[in-house]
């Protein structure tokens, strides 16, 4: 006959702190995976039982705001999409007045491009044309105001010598549509002619629709592209693989990689513990529907996972010991 108190005894034998912590973490994991749950950015704080301060803070955002959180010590490990803003932080360029001592832990592969599409009837050929002609664009941008797209756009326009406010002064309009690149409001506005420009990433989602509607992609080249590269952005090419409707390849900016990063002074034990946990759970973290996280591609520089920021020594050591890094 079974003992009705077995479950209670098993619970009492378990470590209460571990049980409580895992209960919250597992429930949170399920919540952020639910289709009807919109609050999917996560902050996790860890400390020893009895401590008064949280000693390790993890941030699952995806915006450039995460860099400030790391720089100020409010977070110890964070993730950002794409990788480029972390490079600018390291160099102290763009919005960063001084270099930030950021270090990479890993970078999740995700090939992407920025694209600057305008209606063919505008006659615009590159971004510099907008300023030179003071063109009154009717521009659609991502509705998510903290998205990295806006970081890219601010730096691009500053390098080109104008701002979004200039566009409105020239008689144009800047609107913020949806939270995804190919959202229905944007596509409806494109089809009706209420917008004549889209500046966004995830070009594979909306690029062909824009081309079919008579739009063309502006190229980035010459001194403007060189200035952006000197800041830490990477040049990249929009190809027919991303947009089959293209007549020719377009020079643009890279928007690849989900970088997990930290500060140089974060203790080795914290970084190694994170790497060990990531490796242990790689089969449970969804990645583009292709199975487990490809750790062997996540600790080296690749086209789909730019790594222009040095690895934290503890991360480099761990990946090398485990055979992922030569």
């Amino acid at each position: 006959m079974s003992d009705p108190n077995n479950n209670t005894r098993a619970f009492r034998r378990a470590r209460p702190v571990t049980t409580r912590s895992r209960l919250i973490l597992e429930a949170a994991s399920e919540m952020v995976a639910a289709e009807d749950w919109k609050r999917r950015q996560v902050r996790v704080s860890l400390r020893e039982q009895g401590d008064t301060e949280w000693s390790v803070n993890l941030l699952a955002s995806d915006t450039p705001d995460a860099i400030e959180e790391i720089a100020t010590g409010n977070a110890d490990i964070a993730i950002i999409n794409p990788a480029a803003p972390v490079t600018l932080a390291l160099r102290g360029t763009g919005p960063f007045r001084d270099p930030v001592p950021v270090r990479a832990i890993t970078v999740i592969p995700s090939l992407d491009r920025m694209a600057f599409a305008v209606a063919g009837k505008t006659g615009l050929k590159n971004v510099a044309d907008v300023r030179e002609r003071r063109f009154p664009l009717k521009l659609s941008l991502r509705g998510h105001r903290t998205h990295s797209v806006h970081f890219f756009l601010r730096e691009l326009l500053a390098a080109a010598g104008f701002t979004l406010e200039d566009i409105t002064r020239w008689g144009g309009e800047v609107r913020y549509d949806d939270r995804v690149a190919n959202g229905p409001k944007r596509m409806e506005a494109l089809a009706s002619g209420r917008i004549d420009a889209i500046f966004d990433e995830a070009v594979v989602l909306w690029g062909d629709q824009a081309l079919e509607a008579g739009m063309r992609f502006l190229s980035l080249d010459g001194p403007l592209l060189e200035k952006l590269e000197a800041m830490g952005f990477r040049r990249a090419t929009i190809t027919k693989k991303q947009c089959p409707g293209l007549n020719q390849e377009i020079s643009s900016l890279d928007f690849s990689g989900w970088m997990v990063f930290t500060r140089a002074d974060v203790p080795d034990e914290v970084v190694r513990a994170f790497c060990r946990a990531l490796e242990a759970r790689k089969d449970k973290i969804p990645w583009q529907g292709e199975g487990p996280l490809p750790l062997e591609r996540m600790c080296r520089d690749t086209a789909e996972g730019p790594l222009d920021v040095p690895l934290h020594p503890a991360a480099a050591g761990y990946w090398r010991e485990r055979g992922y890094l030569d």
Side-chain angles (χ1 to χ4, degrees):
M1 183 175 177
S2 62
D3 184 346
N5 294 317
N6 272 349
N7 291 338
T8 301
R9 290 171 179 170
F11 179 80
R12 288 174 178 169
R13 285 196 300 269
R15 297 171 61 189
V17 174
T18 300
T19 299
R20 291 194 293 266
S21 298
R22 291 196 62 180
L23 184 150
I24 294 297
L25 290 172
E26 294 291 350
S29 177
E30 187 66 22
M31 289 168 69
V32 299
E35 289 295 327
D36 59 349
W37 185 259
K38 296 181 179 180
R39 303 173 186 87
R40 295 180 178 175
Q41 294 192 346
V42 176
R43 183 186 294 271
V44 177
S45 296
L46 306 169
R47 68 182 181 187
E48 289 189 36
Q49 189 174 26
D51 283 355
T52 57
E53 295 184 2
W54 298 95
S55 56
V56 177
N57 297 282
L58 314 178
L59 179 62
S61 177
D62 61 355
T63 74
D65 292 347
I67 296 174
E68 178 68 14
E69 295 290 294
I70 290 290
T72 58
N74 289 331
D76 300 297
I77 296 175
I79 187 168
I80 186 173
N81 173 41
V86 186
T87 303
L88 271 66
L90 178 70
R91 298 185 182 185
T93 58
F96 304 101
R97 293 185 178 181
D98 300 299
V100 181
V102 286
R103 295 293 184 269
I105 293 178
T106 188
V107 57
I108 302 172
S110 174
L111 189 69
D112 202 356
R113 303 286 185 259
M114 278 292 294
F116 310 96
V118 298
K121 63 183 180 182
T122 64
L124 298 168
K125 295 183 179 179
N126 55 57
V127 173
D129 284 348
V130 179
R131 177 181 57 81
E132 291 173 5
R133 294 175 54 185
R134 295 176 174 265
F135 200 93
L137 286 175
K138 297 176 182 177
L139 174 61
S140 172
L141 297 179
R142 188 72 69 95
H144 190 323
R145 301 296 184 99
T146 61
H147 197 281
S148 293
V149 160
H150 301 290
F151 178 100
F152 271 64
L153 191 57
R154 284 192 298 270
E155 299 309 316
L156 167 65
L157 297 188
F162 68 102
T163 65
L164 294 175
E165 290 75 18
D166 287 329
I167 291 176
T168 59
R169 278 198 296 270
W170 299 334
E173 177 188 0
V174 178
R175 51 185 281 170
Y176 297 85
D177 290 317
D178 299 301
R179 287 184 173 270
V180 293
N182 61 336
K185 290 183 180 179
R186 171 180 283 177
M187 293 299 108
E188 289 169 6
L190 175 60
S192 66
R194 295 196 304 276
I195 60 174
D196 57 21
I198 300 173
F199 293 175
D200 210 338
E201 51 101 26
V203 65
V204 295
L205 297 179
W206 60 270
D208 274 333
Q209 287 177 268
L211 294 173
E212 291 170 4
M215 302 188 91
R216 60 180 299 171
F217 293 136
L218 300 180
S219 64
L220 295 180
D221 44 37
L224 175 58
L225 185 54
E226 291 173 2
K227 185 185 296 186
L228 292 167
E229 284 186 297
M231 292 169 62
F233 291 104
R234 279 194 182 192
R235 74 169 66 199
T237 302
I238 304 174
T239 68
K240 289 180 69 68
K241 185 175 182 179
Q242 283 116 31
C243 289
L246 274 178
N247 292 324
Q248 61 181 18
E249 295 185 343
I250 301 294
S251 179
S252 190
L253 294 178
D254 191 31
F255 205 89
S256 299
W258 291 67
M259 180 175 286
V260 181
F261 67 108
T262 185
R263 288 185 316 282
D265 64 353
V266 169
D268 288 2
E269 64 170 321
V270 173
V271 175
R272 287 184 64 88
F274 183 89
C275 293
R276 185 166 58 248
L278 189 63
E279 183 183 28
R281 294 300 183 98
K282 66 179 181 179
D283 294 336
K284 297 184 178 181
I285 302 174
W287 177 74
Q288 297 187 358
E290 298 181 16
L293 289 175
L295 292 179
E296 69 283 355
R297 293 158 54 193
M298 290 169 50
C299 49
R300 62 188 73 240
D301 182 41
T302 66
E304 56 191 0
L307 196 56
D308 294 325
V309 173
L311 289 167
H312 189 288
Y318 184 87
W319 300 133
R320 189 170 290 111
E321 291 167 14
R322 300 297 295 167
Y324 298 110
L325 190 62
D326 298 333

